Amino acid sequence: MKRSLVLNRLMRLTLVVFLTLAFVNCTSEKIKEFTDQTLNVTDYLKDNDDYSMFLEMLEVTNYASFMNTYGTYTVFVPNNEAVKKYLSDVGAATVKDVPIEDLKEIVKLHILDQVVATTDFTDGKIATPSQQGQFLITGAANIAGVSSITVNKTSNITASNVIVGNGIIHVIDKVLRVADKTLAKSIEADPNLSLFTEALKATGWYDALDKPLGTATVTTTTGGTTTTTTTKIGHLSVLTQTNEVFKAAGINSLADLKAKYSHLHDPMNPADSLNLFVSYRILPKLQYLADLAVSQSIETKAPLEVISVKLAAGTILLNEETFNGVLEKGVVVNRGLSDVTASNGVIHSVDQNFFIKKRIPAPVYFDLGDQPEFRQLTSVFRKPGTSAALKKELFKDVTWDGSDALTYVCATKGSSSYQDRAWNGDIIEIFRFRTNNTQNLKFKTPVIIKGKYKIWVSYRWKGTKNPTVRTYFNGIALPRLVNFQEQATNTINERVLESQGYKSHISPFTNRFNCRLVGIVDVLTTGRHTITFESLSNPGDTAWMDVVEFRPVDMDQLYPRLESGGSGLVP
């Protein structure tokens, strides 16, 4: 009995202790949840002697107090050895010996106004600029078998993702330096770009690349009237090529370059081919590799000339296109020699000599169902008797308003619906071509060579419940509408029909498919463009579309025709 009482008392005592500890622990957790003991940037640096010299830089520039306030910052903190090396490089004995304005620019370069962990780094530009205005570049290095993250290709991160109360810290082993040379001076400073520098000077582009950011005042006098205008000088990007790349193309001197390209023998003339050779490599705006990688085409300073861009297995390729079934291999952008920041832009390097591609306008037969997302469905794409519906979120080059899916149909041979008579035997099916279902259906076209074209839109006629559609090219409305209720005919002379804006686009003829001329466009730049279809009615039936043809205006608009149910052309 006594033993039982003792046990009961022990159990009660144990329970009390347990509940007390639990209460204390819970209370402790609550306090921790609402009270943040983490140091902010400045106090963290004060607590770590290894960073005392960068702390001094913050204090001298009056950034210390501001970096101790609330915020979401990323700070790249150079250790003391890095700061000592920097002082030695600039000939200063102490931090206070560095000109204050220079020191402020250095400090601002190390601070971003957003938390960016190393998991957010990519091989290239950090999306958030520094407070100084220039972007930082991250990458990977492997030295003696040890991998590290680099910043601006010069500094290694030795400690990363240090959480502080107002952001995150990455420790680096070298002070980041502000790019203070212009594009022209930066290119000239590289001995491997000496021939490219000569080309810049011979064409007058050196001076254009040597202008600092800001504004310039231009005064002109015409007929005794003087006009003063202010022009903004913005960032530029340059695609350079080394002496070795020139040599591989048989170009060893400026004389060789002039002999090959300067057809007017006046490189300073904007119409001279050598001037165009250089201007084709100069891009408006600040465009790092990360920006190029998400672009399909980029403008150049060569009038109305663009460069197409493709990202393949991590490699950026310029002007890689397929024309008439033939692949033209692209020019590789050298990652290691690119993303070099200058005070007024960024410098890249290419591995091959290239020039503006001169092509004459050529027909483009755009099968609307030939989309990468449908192509990858190998059991469906161009397999008779199959179909697939995909939501718009899955498409890269097709967009529309509304919630309905877009359906690809490859009809069964001999289909009673005649869908198999389409070119390639496939069509796209729009369940309801109207507002709230599918509206403003926009496609990115294949590459179209600059020139003047007639645009023809073909569709499968179905009945009286189909839409009337307006077509837009690059956002510009074209004059003629497409009435999907109009059926094809071969009882009128084909040339008379053509003059009225109609034709049969496939052979052999079937009245189930019709083709409408929607307008004539002047394609100013070679590249991919957009074509958009807007329903102007409220149809109650499914709409089917086949091909959009871009035929040069001086080409026969009727022949060749497209093979009904096949992939060829019929003379």
Side-chain angles (χ1 to χ4, degrees), residues 37-265:
Q37 302 288 337
T38 308
L39 299 174
N40 284 339
V41 172
T42 302
D43 284 339
Y44 178 85
L45 298 179
K46 287 178 180 178
D47 267 16
N48 291 271
D49 291 339
D50 287 343
Y51 317 129
S52 60
M53 296 188 75
F54 185 69
L55 173 62
E56 185 181 0
M57 294 172 75
L58 293 178
E59 291 172 340
V60 170
T61 56
N62 293 322
Y63 270 75
S65 58
F66 137 66
M67 290 308 298
N68 217 33
T69 59
Y70 173 80
T72 52
Y73 303 107
T74 297
V75 186
F76 291 86
V77 176
N79 57 33
N80 287 348
E81 289 302 313
V83 177
K84 289 176 183 176
K85 179 65 168 61
Y86 163 72
L87 295 177
S88 174
D89 289 344
V90 298
T94 68
V95 168
K96 293 180 180 178
D97 293 330
V98 180
I100 188 65
E101 292 304 318
D102 292 350
L103 205 58
K104 285 181 179 179
E105 293 298 298
I106 288 290
V107 166
K108 289 189 292 183
L109 186 66
H110 288 73
I111 302 171
L112 313 183
D113 287 329
Q114 184 175 331
V115 173
V116 183
T118 54
T119 51
D120 299 318
F121 290 175
T122 57
D123 185 12
K125 179 188 78 172
I126 296 177
T128 302
S130 69
Q131 287 191 353
Q132 192 275 338
Q134 292 180 0
F135 287 89
L136 302 184
I137 308 299
T138 60
N142 191 299
I143 302 174
V146 178
S147 297
S148 63
I149 298 173
T150 63
V151 184
N152 280 9
K153 303 186 179 184
T154 59
S155 303
N156 296 302
I157 293 181
T158 58
S160 61
N161 303 320
V162 179
I163 304 299
V164 291
N166 56 348
I168 195 169
I169 287 174
H170 306 297
V171 180
I172 53 178
D173 64 359
K174 191 172 183 179
V175 173
L176 304 175
R177 304 296 290 272
V178 176
D180 55 2
K181 290 188 177 72
T182 62
L183 289 162
K185 293 291 196 302
S186 299
I187 293 170
E188 187 176 25
D190 187 342
N192 294 314
L193 299 176
S194 60
L195 183 49
F196 192 84
T197 302
E198 288 186 69
L200 291 177
K201 292 180 176 179
T203 56
W205 279 102
Y206 183 94
D207 292 338
L209 299 180
D210 200 33
K211 296 183 186 300
L213 297 174
T215 57
T217 301
V218 179
T219 302
T220 56
T221 302
T222 305
T225 302
T226 300
T227 304
T228 301
T229 57
T230 301
T231 303
K232 182 179 179 181
I233 301 173
H235 290 95
L236 295 171
S237 304
V238 186
L239 301 169
T240 64
Q241 57 191 66
T242 64
N243 297 340
E244 286 299 314
V245 171
F246 276 118
K247 184 177 180 180
I251 302 169
N252 296 290
S253 64
L254 181 61
D256 291 344
L257 200 55
K258 288 180 177 179
K260 185 174 180 66
Y261 292 114
S262 185
H263 77 296
L264 298 178
H265 308 293

Side-chain angles (χ1 to χ4, degrees), residues 450-491:
K450 67 179 181 179
K452 190 166 285 189
Y453 294 82
K454 290 185 177 182
I455 300 180
W456 298 83
V457 175
S458 60
Y459 58 93
R460 156 70 165 87
W461 171 84
K462 191 173 184 183
T464 59
K465 295 182 180 181
N466 273 184
T468 297
V469 173
R470 176 181 286 129
T471 306
Y472 297 79
F473 183 75
N474 288 341
I476 305 299
L478 300 181
R480 293 180 173 177
L481 304 181
V482 185
N483 183 353
F484 279 45
Q485 297 178 22
E486 291 183 325
Q487 194 170 2
T489 179
N490 61 352
T491 61

Side-chain angles (χ1 to χ4, degrees), residues 130 236 492 538 546:
S130 69
L236 295 171
I492 300 174
N538 191 35
D546 188 12

Side-chain angles (χ1 to χ4, degrees), residues 5-23:
L5 288 171
V6 170
L7 286 173
N8 286 338
R9 286 173 183 170
L10 283 172
M11 289 175 67
R12 286 198 294 271
L13 180 61
T14 302
L15 181 61
V16 169
V17 171
F18 175 80
L19 290 174
T20 302
L21 288 173
F23 176 79

